[in-house]
Amino acid sequence: MNLSQRKMLGLFILICSIPSICISLVSSERSDSRLLLTSNDTSKEIHKEEYCAMYDICGERNGKVLNCPTRRPAVKPDELLSSKIQSLCPTLSGNVCCTERQFDTLRSQVQQAIPFVVSCPACLRNFLNIFCELSCSPNQSQFINVTSTAMVSGNLTVDGIDYYVTDAFGEELFNSCKEVKFGSMNTRAISFIGGNAQNFKDWFRFIGRKAEGTEPGSPYAINYRSTAPEASGMKPMNVTTYSCGDTSLGCSCGDCPASPSCSSSAPPTPHKKRSCSIRVGSLKVQCLDFSLAILYIVLVSTFFGWGLFHKKETKSAASRLKPLLNVMDEGVNNSINKQKNDVHPVQMPEEHPPVNKAVQLSVIQGYMCTFYRRYGRWVATNPTLVLCSSLGVVLLLCLGLLRFKVETRPEKASAFVTTYPVVNKVDQAGGGNGKAVAWEKAFIRLVKVSLMLLPDHLFLSMDGVGY
Ligand SMILES: *[C@@H]1O[C@H](CO)[C@@H](O)[C@H](O)[C@H]1NC(C)=O
Ligand SMILES: *[C@@H]1O[C@H](CO)[C@@H](O)[C@H](O)[C@H]1NC(C)=O
Ligand SMILES: *[C@@H]1O[C@H](CO)[C@@H](O)[C@H](O)[C@H]1NC(C)=O
Ligand SMILES: *[C@@H]1O[C@H](CO)[C@@H](O)[C@H](O)[C@H]1NC(C)=O
Ligand SMILES: *[C@@H]1O[C@H](CO)[C@@H](O)[C@H](O)[C@H]1NC(C)=O
């Protein structure tokens, strides 16, 4: 370094203590600036790989944490944090731009959206990737530009950012999620997590808006852009997306009608052909329904026929039975009072010898007989009391209806049924269930992530069906 160069250096250091001037000088003397500016200089934007634009948490507003604007190289996380991050963001295996606290915040935030799209892993993966890259990517400064900052309790915090994301990513993300149904209500998940967006731009606008007060959402404004200014060193985020028709992250046909395996109408057709149907007038009825209807009619007519037949018989026997019952009652009463035998031989008038055998009553029958007779008498003598009290009991039991409310908040729902369709063909040569094993591994990985992300009041249960 000769004398004149040394003088130049001195001059630079002097001027650079006034930051705004420094920027203009630096941009004109790019090569020299490298020598002078260290990572903790806050006056110049750095947009290059392995550099962060935000790091750590510098403040809170309405319970939402705010990041610190920064210009520092990405940090190597410790082993535990790294594995934690990879469980949510598998692509971030090296350095990162987030701390453990930040990551925990990220996880709890995305957790709110998970139940809506968990039925379609491809959509979930793409959706998580936006936030993984935003918060933790080591190349963060390449696609994030902190556009405004705010002082919060004496710390400088991020107040607004530009997030550069390629249109290709946005388009793919939207396509993989647009048809995903939200379990119990059969509405589209995007009406909850995307404000009913019709395209990815609407969706980005929705998730990027700054949440007011305590409502859920982003703590600072995120302005999604697709093309970075030339020569700024910025490069839009373009991580790999997964199509919802991707077999490794399969979504059901309901969630992904565009999937090639769903568009072919082959599977439903043989099913239709096999099921038989019968034409009744202008109505087409399934065989099963038809036979059930016939069975029902037969059963009902048997029942009524038997009833009718029996009634006739009892009518003819009624005249004979009436005095018998009276006598029988007394007989039972007497025998219970007198002697507690296992069998009460009931005194029958001699003129009805055939019924004699049938009315041999056991102790239990005797008790029931007395009880129901007394009960019947009591009911018959107090009809008003009985009617009113039964009405009263029913009304009392209905009191709960006063607090009856239809749950319209889906996040309070307690169960989601999720179907992951997989076709595993066992190889003819034997042992060829590699596909199944691979899928199982992928599924278990997904379950681990989901488990970690499930809100406390949800639990996961797994079930499998073999074909
Ligand atoms: C930049 O930060 C590092 C470590 O944080 C420190 O050692 C160094 O002195 C700082 N440099 C300047 C110019 O502030
Ligand atoms: C301000 O930042 C420092 C260091 O980043 C942090 O320790 C402190 O808690 C922050 N203050 C507030 C109010 O968050
Ligand atoms: C960061 O950028 C470099 C260069 O473009 C790339 O090789 C690397 O995979 C990126 N890292 C991540 C985590 O995206
Ligand atoms: C980043 O944001 C700042 C402040 O809004 C702006 O001056 C600068 O031009 C932006 N840089 C890029 C590369 O967009
Ligand atoms: C983003 O990635 C997709 C596929 O990975 C590629 O087709 C597209 O050209 C990329 N876009 C940019 C701007 O790099």
Side-chain angles (χ1 to χ4, degrees):
M1 209 179 262
N2 60 33
L3 194 69
S4 67
Q5 269 177 326
R6 211 172 282 168
K7 263 188 193 160
M8 274 285 280
L9 209 85
L11 189 70
F12 257 100
I13 290 170
L14 199 85
I15 295 173
C16 280
S17 56
I18 312 163
S20 54
I21 300 175
C22 190
I23 295 175
S24 53
L25 277 177
V26 162
S27 48
S28 60
E29 292 278 342
R30 214 162 253 263
S31 54
D32 284 354
S33 71
R34 289 261 157 76
L35 278 172
L36 300 160
L37 294 166
T38 54
S39 62
N40 27 16
D41 179 85
T42 52
S43 55
K44 183 187 172 280
E45 286 174 25
I46 299 175
H47 296 296
K48 60 179 189 182
E49 67 188 68
E50 292 288 321
Y51 259 79
C52 303
M54 307 182 285
Y55 188 76
D56 212 350
I57 292 170
C58 271
E60 254 183 49
R61 189 168 46 206
N62 298 324
K64 289 189 273 287
V65 297
L66 297 163
N67 297 340
C68 319
T70 188
R71 293 170 178 89
R72 61 176 297 163
V75 179
K76 188 170 162 48
D78 63 41
E79 200 120 308
L80 185 68
L81 177 58
S82 183
S83 62
K84 222 167 132 180
I85 291 175
Q86 279 176 65
S87 69
L88 184 65
C89 315
T91 52
L92 304 180
S93 51
N95 294 347
V96 290
C97 282
C98 58
T99 59
E100 178 143 22
R101 220 174 122 209
Q102 257 182 296
F103 177 74
D104 290 342
T105 311
L106 166 74
R107 199 173 64 188
S108 67
Q109 276 170 353
V110 293
Q111 202 167 11
Q112 298 165 2
I114 302 295
F116 297 105
V117 290
V118 74
S119 64
C120 182
C123 162
L124 176 60
R125 184 70 267 147
N126 295 335
F127 185 69
L128 288 181
N129 273 349
I130 316 177
F131 298 102
C132 284
E133 295 290 320
L134 167 65
S135 306
C136 291
S137 169
N139 297 340
Q140 196 187 49
S141 65
Q142 281 193 319
F143 44 76
I144 302 279
N145 185 24
V146 177
T147 50
S148 77
T149 54
M151 291 300 275
V152 172
S153 347
N155 278 357
L156 196 63
T157 62
V158 173
D159 194 47
I161 60 172
D162 280 348
Y163 186 2
Y164 293 91
V165 177
T166 60
D167 283 347
F169 179 89
E171 201 82 59
E172 288 291 312
L173 165 73
F174 183 75
N175 285 342
S176 71
C177 291
K178 64 180 176 189
E179 293 293 345
V180 176
K181 304 293 186 302
F182 172 58
S184 52
M185 299 164 83
N186 207 32
T187 35
R188 293 191 314 153
I190 205 145
S191 24
F192 298 106
I193 58 165
N196 234 338
Q198 299 301 315
N199 53 53
F200 76 91
K201 291 200 163 135
D202 285 351
W203 194 4
F204 281 165
R205 213 168 293 131
F206 178 79
I207 55 179
R209 77 193 199 290
K210 185 169 155 181
E212 296 298 331
T214 50
E215 72 182 44
S218 176
Y220 45 77
I222 304 173
N223 193 0
Y224 287 85
R225 294 169 175 274
S226 54
T227 43
E230 290 288 318
S232 62
M234 296 195 80
K235 216 172 87 181
M237 194 277 283
N238 194 27
V239 292
T240 319
T241 50
Y242 297 90
S243 149
C244 63
D246 191 321
T247 45
S248 66
L249 287 166
C251 308
S252 69
C253 286
D255 291 337
C256 187
S259 162
S261 59
C262 298
S263 55
S264 67
S265 54
T269 337
H271 196 78
K272 250 181 197 161
K273 267 181 193 158
R274 233 183 294 136
S275 74
C276 90
S277 59
I278 292 166
R279 202 166 272 283
V280 181
S282 60
L283 218 68
K284 207 174 169 193
V285 197
Q286 296 270 310
C287 285
L288 183 69
D289 296 347
F290 190 70
S291 47
L292 280 179
I294 289 181
L295 189 69
Y296 179 74
I297 291 171
V298 167
L299 279 179
V300 166
S301 38
T302 315
F303 180 77
F304 279 113
W306 178 78
L308 222 68
F309 175 74
H310 206 250
K311 211 172 173 184
K312 265 183 199 159
E313 216 172 42
T314 33
K315 249 184 195 165
S316 62
S319 51
R320 280 183 295 147
L321 229 69
K322 237 175 188 165
L324 163 76
L325 281 174
N326 283 339
V327 176
M328 191 181 82
D329 282 358
E330 269 150 37
V332 171
N333 248 355
N334 293 344
S335 58
I336 284 168
N337 293 340
K338 276 183 216 154
Q339 67 209 89
K340 310 239 161 183
N341 283 349
D342 264 11
V343 177
H344 301 267
V346 179
Q347 297 301 310
M348 283 289 133
E350 260 105 41
E351 60 260 43
H352 310 293
V355 214
N356 202 353
K357 254 189 203 164
V359 273
Q360 298 227 324
L361 299 179
S362 73
V363 171
I364 297 171
Q365 279 174 311
Y367 277 129
M368 283 171 72
C369 188
T370 354
F371 172 76
Y372 281 109
R373 187 155 31 75
R374 280 192 193 147
Y375 175 69
R377 248 183 222 149
W378 182 79
V379 169
T381 45
N382 306 295
T384 331
L385 180 64
V386 172
L387 286 178
C388 290
S389 59
S390 52
L391 202 68
V393 167
V394 170
L395 286 179
L396 200 73
L397 293 180
C398 286
L399 272 185
L401 283 178
L402 288 181
R403 306 199 59 177
F404 182 78
K405 229 167 49 190
V406 175
E407 184 55 87
T408 48
R409 285 162 304 169
E411 71 273 17
K412 295 275 177 189
S414 55
F416 295 97
V417 178
T418 307
T419 318
Y420 296 98
V422 209
V423 181
N424 288 312
K425 286 197 187 102
V426 177
D427 204 288
Q428 299 285 346
N433 54 354
K435 226 175 164 182
V437 172
W439 179 83
E440 243 169 53
K441 279 186 183 153
F443 183 74
I444 288 166
R445 239 189 347 263
L446 177 85
V447 166
K448 275 189 189 157
V449 175
S450 313
L451 263 184
M452 207 170 75
L453 294 166
L454 281 177
D456 294 338
H457 60 274
L458 289 185
F459 65 91
L460 193 86
S461 83
M462 271 193 273
D463 207 349
V465 179
Y467 293 98

